[in-house]
Amino acid sequence: MRNKLLPLVRLHQVFAVEPGSVKPWEALVVVVEHENIQFCLQVDELVGKQEIVIKSLGERLKNLPGIAGGAIMGDGRVGLIIDVAGLVR
């Protein structure tokens, strides 16, 4: 990006799910930043942008790797929030 190489995190590998595409040049890549560290997330799709309130997942699920919390979406479903800081580590 702008003559700078950024590390790529393949979310399908982090969360052990079937990817829409394994090849980054055929997938969507989102640039994220945490404490001035930029990197890319390979994702299957972008659903949209929404303002949400992040809720804790409770005592039993609070230490899920890669997950910061959850949010109740407009249609009532729970959306999981990616822990960008944890992915940097």
Side-chain angles (χ1 to χ4, degrees):
M1 183 176 95
R2 297 187 180 123
N3 296 323
K4 182 177 168 186
L5 293 176
L6 299 176
L8 176 67
V9 175
R10 292 171 169 89
L11 289 179
H12 66 273
Q13 291 176 343
V14 173
F15 297 115
V17 296
E18 189 67 32
S21 177
V22 176
K23 301 172 185 170
W25 54 90
E26 293 177 355
L28 294 172
V29 176
V30 178
V31 178
V32 296
E33 182 175 344
H34 175 71
E35 295 182 352
N36 294 322
I37 299 172
Q38 289 184 324
F39 60 100
C40 300
L41 300 177
Q42 181 178 331
V43 300
D44 289 333
E45 70 177 301
L46 293 175
V47 178
K49 180 180 174 180
Q50 186 174 0
E51 289 191 32
I52 58 168
V53 175
I54 300 176
K55 303 269 188 188
S56 167
L57 293 177
E59 200 59 36
R60 292 179 135 177
L61 301 174
K62 74 175 185 178
N63 293 321
L64 285 175
I67 302 296
I72 299 173
M73 309 308 282
D75 61 3
R77 294 182 300 154
V78 174
L80 297 176
I81 310 302
I82 293 174
D83 178 14
V84 174
L87 293 175
V88 168
R89 290 188 287 265

